[in-house]
C-alpha cells in the first residue's frame, strides 16, 4: 500500500502489476519485466514460471512462450528461439526437442514451431549428437531409395532384380529384359 498525500489516515492499495515493498511508501513501483502481480495491494511481484515470460514492466500475467521458443528458467523477460534442427511441439515450452528422423528444421529458420518433412527420395542421416536434429535433407544415393516423405530410416538398397542410377529417388526400376541382378543396391 502507499499514500502520496501527507496527513491521511489510510493508505491506498497498489494496482495490479505494481507493488510497494516495506512501509512509508509514497508511490507504487511497476513489477519488473519477468515478473507479474495479478492482485492489488501487494508488496512483491511473482516471477514467471519456466515456459512463460513477461516482456515488459507492470504486467498482471505472464505469457506462454510462443511455438518455436522456450524459457528454461523462471523470471524470463524474452523467450529464446530453438536452434536449427529443433522445435517446440506446443507453446509454453521449457526446452526444445530435436526433429525426428525424416524431418528437419533448416539452419535459416531459428524458432521453428514444427519440423518439415523430407521429400520421398530423401532422408536425414543419423547425428552423432542425439540432442541435435537435422537441418537439411540428403538425397538417397544411387542404388537406393526412400518411398515416402518423412522417411525415418536410412535409404533402402534396391532389391535384387532392380536398380537405380540416379540420386534422390523414391523407387528402383526393374532390370531391363535380357538382364538380371542378384545383388542389392545396383546402380546399373
Amino acid at each position: 500500500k502507499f499514500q502520496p498525500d501527507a496527513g491521511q489516515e489510510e493508505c491506498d492499495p497498489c494496482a495490479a502489476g505494481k507493488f510497494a515493498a516495506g512501509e512509508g511508501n509514497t508511490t507504487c513501483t511497476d513489477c519488473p519485466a519477468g515478473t507479474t502481480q495479478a492482485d492489488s495491494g501487494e508488496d512483491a511481484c511473482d516471477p514467471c514460471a519456466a515456459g512463460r515470460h513477461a516482456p515488459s514492466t507492470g504486467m498482471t500475467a505472464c505469457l506462454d512462450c510462443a511455438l518455436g521458443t522456450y524459457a528454461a528458467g523462471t523470471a524470463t523477460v524474452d523467450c529464446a528461439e530453438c536452434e536449427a534442427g529443433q522445435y517446440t511441439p506446443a507453446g509454453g515450452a521449457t526446452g526444445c526437442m530435436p526433429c525426428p528422423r525424416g524431418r528437419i528444421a533448416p539452419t535459416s529458420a531459428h524458432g521453428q514451431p514444427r519440423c518439415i518433412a523430407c521429400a520421398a527420395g530423401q532422408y536425414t542421416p543419423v547425428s552423432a549428437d542425439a540432442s541435435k536434429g537435422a537441418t537439411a535433407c540428403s538425397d538417397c544415393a544411387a542404388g537406393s531409395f526412400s518411398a515416402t516423405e518423412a522417411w525415418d530410416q536410412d535409404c533402402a538398397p534396391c532389391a535384387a532384380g532392380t536398380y537405380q542410377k540416379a540420386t534422390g529417388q523414391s523407387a528402383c526400376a526393374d532390370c531391363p529384359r535380357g538382364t538380371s541382378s542378384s545383388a542389392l543396391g545396383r546402380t546399373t
Side-chain angles (χ1 to χ4, degrees):
K1 293 185 176 186
F2 77 108
Q3 182 49 259
D5 302 319
Q8 301 297 313
E9 293 183 15
E10 292 183 16
C11 292
D12 297 325
C14 292
K18 298 179 179 286
F19 74 103
E23 296 179 5
N25 295 297
T26 58
T27 61
C28 295
T29 304
D30 282 346
C31 289
T35 68
T36 62
Q37 184 48 258
D39 300 320
S40 61
E42 297 297 324
D43 63 359
C45 298
D46 301 318
C48 293
R52 299 177 60 98
H53 70 120
S56 58
T57 62
M59 292 188 67
T60 59
C62 297
L63 307 170
D64 279 349
C65 290
L67 285 172
T69 66
Y70 70 99
T74 60
T76 298
V77 176
D78 294 312
C79 299
E81 289 185 340
C82 294
E83 293 181 18
Q86 299 180 335
Y87 76 108
T88 58
T94 59
C96 299
M97 298 175 57
C99 290
R101 283 198 74 193
R103 296 181 177 273
I104 62 165
T107 56
S108 61
H110 289 284
Q112 283 291 96
R114 65 186 173 284
C115 298
I116 301 164
C118 292
Q122 296 183 320
Y123 75 109
T124 53
V126 175
S127 172
D129 183 353
S131 70
K132 304 280 185 200
T135 59
C137 299
S138 297
D139 284 344
C140 291
S144 67
F145 72 102
S146 66
T148 62
E149 72 173 27
W151 191 258
D152 64 356
Q153 51 197 313
D154 289 334
C155 295
C158 291
T162 66
Y163 73 103
Q164 183 50 259
K165 55 183 165 184
T167 62
Q169 299 301 304
S170 61
C172 296
D174 289 335
C175 290
R177 288 181 184 249
T179 65
S180 68
S181 172
S182 60
L184 298 177
R186 293 295 303 234
T187 58
T188 57

